[in-house]
Amino acid sequence: MTKINPMWQQYPELVPNLTAVLALMKKHIHTDDRAVTEAILDMINSGGKLLRPAYCLLFSQFKPVDDKKMVALAASIETLHTATLIHDDVVDRALTRRNIATIQARFGQDVAVYAGDYLFVICFQLLANHTSDLRSIRQNAQGMEKILNGELSQKRMRYNYEMTIDDYLKQIQGKTAQLFGLACFVGAYESGNSLSFSRQCQKIGLNIGMAFQIMDDLLDYSQSTATLGKPVLEDVRQGVYSAPLLLALDQHQGEFIPYLEKRANMTAADIDVVTKLVTQYSGLEKAHALAASYTDKALKGLNKLPDIPAKASLLRLTKQLLQRQF
Amino acid sequence: MTKINPMWQQYPELVPNLTAVLALMKKHIHTDDRAVTEAILDMINSGGKLLRPAYCLLFSQFKPVDDKKMVALAASIETLHTATLIHDDVVDRALTRRNIATIQARFGQDVAVYAGDYLFVICFQLLANHTSDLRSIRQNAQGMEKILNGELSQKRMRYNYEMTIDDYLKQIQGKTAQLFGLACFVGAYESGNSLSFSRQCQKIGLNIGMAFQIMDDLLDYSQSTATLGKPVLEDVRQGVYSAPLLLALDQHQGEFIPYLEKRANMTAADIDVVTKLVTQYSGLEKAHALAASYTDKALKGLNKLPDIPAKASLLRLTKQLLQRQF
């Protein structure tokens, strides 16, 4: 049975197609290794938010739509996202995600490396089999290059508390915003919109993605492990510094450094102090304001688009991401 | 300066295009991280055999050829190969390849995972930017799925000395032969040959790939570390059992098992005993005969092709792979 994240009950018009996206992804997973297949399916079933395919589907509504094709292309975007998550978990040596054991925790990093590669391939299969335009594939390959450059930059900057908020913004533009932009571009372009209209949608998607990632990093500081489905602030221990920390750190490096310099040896108590310092120096508020500025840009872009029913959903969903607790 | 493997001096007609393949690959590598870029370039410069692009270029000669396009497509095949090598090294925790330190030895597995992903993307970029036919991309994605299934199967079978030679053949068909088949298909199809002719070339490529991998595994038993550029028989210690061992083991399990059961704890002396047992029970001769049977099939297929100058090179190269010491 394919069940999508309950948040979509607020958008009933999207439920059938998002359910179809998940079902199609699952249909394409058939490695020769049953255990690996099961592990990938568990990951697909584990309640990911499906935001990227949702935006892809919504942006496809500006033209009369071939549902089957758009579901396949949305599935290809979510498959790409899943592939990057699996490889991120290898790199981060993560044990849980979305409250279930990661593939690498269950089967070792070997299997996780190949499982991620396998999903990259399925992504391209879905794309190549359902597009009739090489431009989408070129766009996809270009977007993926930027995503990987973002990931590499994040690795390079690890444990570097001299990194600036601009370094951070450049990173998340690569690792997160690009894929949101790609989802919106593919949705618009593949349903028959002009290249310039589709580029406009891609730009909106980039801003949505920026806001989304900043909020994601903010939640890491304000939520419990149970809510997030992954350990809180593990990132800091691993040297990944995000908006709330960088914005709080700005004028107060001296107070943070003794804790950050412990790197992977930070204790729970150290993490606690850092969290408190981040709160004390308004890291959370500042990060929220930063996210809001990207959401504003996205909303302005959305408001310029033709008035179709999907536009209301696009506006609502984009606003909601700024208030999310999930 | 771009220098290709000296073996190609015997095929001077291929040297300009193979040199162009390497140069084009290098031109496409520009991550935001200079060290990672350098590491990938070092790997590309480290004297790989370039067999796959060579076959791709040779099979393109059956029609008048657009050299620039074929060089790009051959580069895409070699880039895919390089990506899988980088990920194989992550999975095998390998320290050297082609006598230089692996990317993961130099920068850690994080960078190696993303560097491999990056090359997958460059492969698709080269392909998408230089083909005018979605079928090649679909074929590529399909081939890659089989390659990954082969890798996954190899992982699943690790330390399983009950595995049969058929299991092994199925594995190498996925992990090696598919890419040779793809190289030959892309060469033929993209230069304007019919689908059925191109499939015929692909089949020949599959047989060449089977022979190549069996010979590769054979050399692991008969060559020194210095010649191979990687540690001898590390595979056995890691539980990867190939043709010479499996063919020798067949009637003599009892003698091998005490050593194989030590798994990663096998000493140099244990490896030595296993090597001697493999020789004693004709593992090397049997593996060579097996490789020869695939080479024969490939040569038969090649002989049926139209008589063009490249055909002589195809025949010569394919025979040579059976005698190779490199």
Side-chain angles (χ1 to χ4, degrees):
Chain A
M1 249 273 298
T2 301
K3 262 193 176 165
I4 62 172
N5 192 303
M7 67 173 275
W8 295 110
Q9 286 161 11
Q10 304 165 55
Y11 301 81
E13 74 281 13
L14 280 174
V15 170
N17 276 345
L18 282 179
T19 309
V21 163
L22 268 198
L24 187 65
M25 286 172 71
K26 286 156 66 173
K27 201 180 130 193
H28 272 76
I29 309 303
H30 34 63
T31 76
D32 293 343
D33 189 323
R34 190 177 299 187
V36 174
T37 302
E38 292 292 324
I40 297 177
L41 292 179
D42 283 355
M43 173 129 184
I44 294 174
N45 277 327
S46 64
K49 287 182 280 292
L50 299 177
L51 286 169
R52 296 153 190 84
Y55 274 109
C56 180
L57 292 166
L58 285 167
F59 274 100
S60 74
Q61 306 279 320
F62 291 92
K63 290 272 174 189
V65 162
D66 171 353
D67 267 352
K68 211 180 138 197
K69 172 180 166 180
M70 287 318 305
V71 162
L73 295 172
S76 117
I77 298 278
E78 184 66 11
T79 304
L80 175 54
H81 175 54
T82 311
T84 63
L85 293 182
I86 293 175
H87 279 182
D88 285 350
D89 287 341
V90 173
V91 166
D92 299 339
R93 295 161 186 78
L95 298 176
T96 58
R97 176 182 289 277
R98 298 177 188 158
N99 288 318
I100 66 167
T102 58
I103 292 185
Q104 79 143 0
R106 286 170 69 180
F107 298 101
Q109 66 164 23
D110 330 7
V111 169
V113 169
Y114 292 137
D117 290 353
Y118 181 81
L119 287 182
F120 276 125
V121 171
I122 300 298
C123 155
F124 270 106
Q125 276 188 7
L126 282 163
L127 194 65
N129 291 337
H130 292 91
T131 183
S132 45
D133 193 326
L134 276 165
R135 191 188 299 271
S136 280
I137 298 199
R138 289 176 191 155
Q139 195 66 33
N140 223 294
Q142 217 172 73
M144 281 176 73
E145 184 178 355
K146 289 184 184 151
I147 293 169
L148 287 162
N149 260 325
E151 302 275 16
L152 282 166
S153 147
Q154 179 168 307
K155 287 298 130 195
R156 190 175 65 242
M157 291 278 188
R158 273 175 69 175
Y159 294 118
N160 177 359
Y161 44 73
E162 306 277 346
M163 79 179 263
T164 64
I165 190 77
D166 282 344
D167 294 328
Y168 164 83
L169 291 173
K170 210 179 144 200
Q171 263 175 23
I172 69 169
Q173 186 176 14
K175 76 168 193 169
T176 307
Q178 283 299 330
L179 191 52
F180 275 86
L182 190 63
C184 301
F185 175 86
V186 168
Y189 188 71
E190 288 278 349
S191 58
N193 290 288
S194 71
L195 186 58
S196 80
F197 180 84
S198 307
R199 289 258 181 256
Q200 205 181 328
C201 299
Q202 183 175 24
K203 222 169 177 176
I204 297 170
L206 282 170
N207 284 316
I208 295 171
M210 295 297 285
F212 172 80
Q213 184 61 54
I214 298 167
M215 283 304 294
D216 211 55
D217 291 333
L218 180 58
L219 287 169
D220 228 21
Y221 283 81
S222 60
Q223 297 279 331
S224 73
T225 299
T227 317
L228 283 182
K230 56 184 178 185
V232 169
L233 287 192
E234 185 54 29
D235 274 3
V236 173
R237 209 194 301 266
Q238 296 205 6
V240 178
Y241 305 147
S242 67
L245 179 65
L246 294 171
L247 292 168
L249 189 76
D250 193 27
Q251 311 278 328
H252 310 276
Q253 276 210 11
E255 288 173 65
F256 283 89
I257 289 176
Y259 299 97
L260 298 181
E261 279 190 334
K262 294 189 186 178
R263 298 192 164 197
N265 296 322
M266 283 178 89
T267 62
D270 295 331
I271 295 278
D272 216 43
V273 177
V274 168
T275 311
K276 288 205 176 102
L277 285 171
V278 167
T279 312
Q280 184 183 333
Y281 294 126
S282 311
L284 303 183
E285 287 90 332
K286 286 180 183 170
H288 196 276
L290 187 60
S293 74
Y294 284 103
T295 300
D296 276 350
K297 279 188 217 170
L299 294 174
K300 272 188 195 129
L302 286 171
N303 275 318
K304 285 185 199 147
L305 300 179
D307 286 315
I308 59 161
K311 183 170 161 178
S313 301
L314 279 167
L315 287 165
R316 186 152 64 99
L317 180 59
T318 304
K319 281 179 208 156
Q320 204 179 2
L321 291 182
L322 197 65
Q323 291 125 27
R324 76 195 175 99
Q325 306 294 320
F326 48 86
Chain B
M1 247 273 295
T2 300
K3 260 193 175 164
I4 62 171
N5 192 303
M7 68 173 274
W8 296 110
Q9 287 161 11
Q10 303 164 55
Y11 300 82
E13 75 281 14
L14 280 174
V15 170
N17 276 346
L18 282 178
T19 308
V21 163
L22 268 198
L24 187 65
M25 285 172 72
K26 286 156 64 174
K27 200 179 131 194
H28 271 76
I29 309 302
H30 34 64
T31 76
D32 293 343
D33 188 324
R34 189 177 296 188
V36 174
T37 301
E38 291 293 324
I40 297 177
L41 291 179
D42 283 354
M43 173 130 185
I44 293 174
N45 277 328
S46 64
K49 287 181 282 291
L50 300 178
L51 286 169
R52 295 153 192 83
Y55 275 110
C56 181
L57 291 167
L58 286 167
F59 273 101
S60 74
Q61 306 279 320
F62 290 93
K63 291 272 174 188
V65 161
D66 171 353
D67 266 353
K68 209 180 140 198
K69 173 179 166 179
M70 287 319 303
V71 162
L73 295 172
S76 120
I77 298 278
E78 185 66 10
T79 304
L80 175 53
H81 175 55
T82 311
T84 64
L85 292 182
I86 294 174
H87 279 182
D88 286 351
D89 287 341
V90 173
V91 165
D92 299 341
R93 295 161 184 79
L95 298 177
T96 59
R97 175 180 293 275
R98 299 176 187 159
N99 288 319
I100 66 166
T102 59
I103 292 185
Q104 81 143 356
R106 286 170 69 181
F107 298 99
Q109 65 164 22
D110 330 8
V111 169
V113 168
Y114 292 136
D117 291 352
Y118 181 82
L119 287 182
F120 276 124
V121 172
I122 299 299
C123 155
F124 269 105
Q125 276 187 6
L126 282 164
L127 194 64
N129 291 338
H130 293 91
T131 183
S132 45
D133 193 326
L134 276 165
R135 191 188 298 275
S136 280
I137 298 200
R138 290 176 189 153
Q139 195 67 33
N140 222 295
Q142 218 172 72
M144 280 177 74
E145 184 178 354
K146 289 184 185 151
I147 292 168
L148 287 162
N149 260 323
E151 303 274 15
L152 282 166
S153 149
Q154 179 168 307
K155 286 298 130 194
R156 190 175 66 244
M157 290 281 188
R158 273 177 68 177
Y159 295 118
N160 178 359
Y161 45 73
E162 306 278 345
M163 79 177 264
T164 65
I165 190 78
D166 282 346
D167 293 329
Y168 164 82
L169 291 173
K170 211 179 143 199
Q171 263 175 23
I172 67 169
Q173 187 176 13
K175 76 168 194 170
T176 307
Q178 283 300 329
L179 192 52
F180 275 87
L182 190 63
C184 301
F185 175 86
V186 167
Y189 188 71
E190 287 278 350
S191 58
N193 290 287
S194 71
L195 186 58
S196 79
F197 180 84
S198 308
R199 290 257 180 256
Q200 205 181 327
C201 298
Q202 184 175 24
K203 223 169 176 175
I204 295 170
L206 282 170
N207 284 316
I208 295 170
M210 294 297 285
F212 172 79
Q213 184 61 54
I214 298 167
M215 283 304 295
D216 211 53
D217 291 333
L218 180 57
L219 288 169
D220 227 20
Y221 283 82
S222 59
Q223 297 279 332
S224 72
T225 299
T227 317
L228 283 182
K230 57 184 177 186
V232 169
L233 286 193
E234 185 54 29
D235 274 1
V236 172
R237 211 195 298 267
Q238 296 206 6
V240 178
Y241 305 146
S242 67
L245 179 66
L246 294 171
L247 291 166
L249 188 77
D250 193 27
Q251 311 278 328
H252 311 275
Q253 277 210 9
E255 289 173 65
F256 284 89
I257 290 176
Y259 300 97
L260 299 182
E261 279 188 335
K262 294 190 186 175
R263 298 191 164 196
N265 296 321
M266 284 179 87
T267 62
D270 294 331
I271 295 279
D272 216 45
V273 177
V274 168
T275 312
K276 288 205 174 99
L277 284 172
V278 167
T279 313
Q280 183 183 334
Y281 295 126
S282 312
L284 303 182
E285 288 91 330
K286 286 180 183 172
H288 196 275
L290 187 61
S293 73
Y294 283 102
T295 300
D296 276 352
K297 278 187 216 169
L299 294 174
K300 272 187 195 129
L302 286 171
N303 275 318
K304 285 185 198 146
L305 299 180
D307 286 315
I308 59 163
K311 184 170 162 177
S313 301
L314 279 168
L315 286 166
R316 187 152 65 98
L317 180 59
T318 304
K319 281 180 208 155
Q320 204 179 2
L321 291 183
L322 198 65
Q323 291 126 25
R324 75 196 176 97
Q325 306 294 320
F326 49 86

